[in-house]
Amino acid sequence: MSRSEFDIIERFFTRPIPQRGDVPLGIGDDAALLSPPTDQQLAVSVDTLVAGVHFPLDSAAETVGHKALAVNLSDLAAMGAEPAWATLALTLPAADDAWLSAFAAGFFALAEQYQLQVVGGDTTRGPLSITVQVMGFVPQGAALTRAGASAGEGIYVTGTLGDAAAGLALRLGRLDSEQVAAEVAATLIARLERPTPRLAAGRALRGLASSAIDISDGLAADLGHVLAASGVGAVVDCQRLPLSTAYQALAALPGAALDWQTAASHGDDYELCFTVPAEKEPLLQSRLAGVGCGYTRIGETRSEKGLHWRDAAGHELGLAVSGFDHFAVGQGQE
Ligand SMILES: [Mg+2]
């Protein structure tokens, strides 16, 4: 790489705004110095996106920048945390100025919505991959975790499920975008490439939800993590899974192969799945008003272990819905 690591990080990832008061020393020294508030806990999460695995090789750099940060912010949302700082490690085939500035534009458009500051970074040469670490704050003891659900609670999801699966089918050419209205295709591809982290919803659920997780690997897999961590089971009504009108429009195409099981198993939607004790369910409507997404009750937890699916007639279906395998993206391109 012709340009030094320091130069790339300094040049593309140092922005005048936001400059946070809790960053006494940011990019430019051997380490950043950070001053977390003393009454809060630090929430830290890291994720790597690999080209051809987590996003198609021909993805626009701006969307890769958005998604690399969004998937990390989604993890903070699931904890009920408020984002503050990020570090960034980029592995690049070459130091391409146009790619770097488009990537940085996508990254910072999202970062600046949350006054998130990049406080350090690293670059190396190799096949394209992006690692982002985010750090945020949550009041002492107020974090949402996977382990708090009890039997007899409502299970909810924010937004709609399956849109990223539908967007991927369009993006990889498995379904023809010419067959649906342009705004349907644009909506679904945006849900795949530009997911919205549900940070406001996560914060609003502090003190209300007993557990939470973000849906990165599919509802079946991620709700399964909550059930395992909490030591309970669940039954979910497949008719109640929230599907967008765009998803339903694409699913209506002949041979679309997009059904409730796709919506329940495919990942990348970055909605939240959370549980709420019965006595707190009436508070949800006012607490989640104005957080920017809807929410739907999809089932209940119960003491009998395992995740079960129920049809419209109330019969439990004897089937297992498996999680999303990120490597399917790579397979689709070979
Ligand atoms: Mg997560």
Side-chain angles (χ1 to χ4, degrees), residues 74-75 78 146 213-214 216:
S74 178
D75 282 322
R146 302 176 179 190
I213 192 167
D214 67 315
S216 54

Side-chain angles (χ1 to χ4, degrees), residues 127-177:
L128 178 61
S129 101
I130 301 112
T131 297
V132 177
Q133 179 189 49
V134 288
M135 290 157 274
F137 310 136
V138 61
Q140 289 282 347
L144 306 171
T145 72
R146 302 176 179 190
S150 303
E153 298 183 338
I155 302 171
Y156 292 81
V157 292
T158 60
T160 54
L161 301 178
D163 295 328
L168 186 64
L170 292 168
R171 189 65 181 72
L172 297 181
R174 189 175 70 71
L175 292 173
D176 181 3
S177 57

Side-chain angles (χ1 to χ4, degrees), residues 238-261:
C238 38
Q239 302 302 118
R240 288 205 224 159
L241 298 180
L243 306 178
S244 68
T245 53
Y247 182 89
Q248 293 178 59
L250 197 69
L253 294 182
L258 296 171
D259 57 12
W260 73 267
Q261 288 192 56

Side-chain angles (χ1 to χ4, degrees), residues 25 31 35 84 96 111 123 146 160 175 190 196 224 229 264 268 289 300 309 316:
L25 188 58
S35 301
D96 175 340
T123 58
R146 302 176 179 190
T160 54
L175 292 173
T196 304
D268 256 7
E300 297 91 38
W309 306 85
E316 287 191 25

Side-chain angles (χ1 to χ4, degrees), residues 22-80:
D22 52 16
V23 183
L25 188 58
I27 291 173
D29 214 304
D30 293 303
L33 295 174
L34 308 171
S35 301
T38 51
D39 60 338
Q40 308 257 320
Q41 287 178 303
L42 189 61
V44 182
S45 181
V46 64
D47 258 306
T48 296
L49 298 189
V50 176
V53 177
H54 300 97
F55 57 91
L57 290 168
D58 61 351
S59 296
E62 189 270 342
T63 65
V64 177
H66 174 99
K67 190 161 182 175
L69 180 56
V71 302
N72 278 280
L73 293 178
S74 178
D75 282 322
L76 290 189
M79 303 298 292

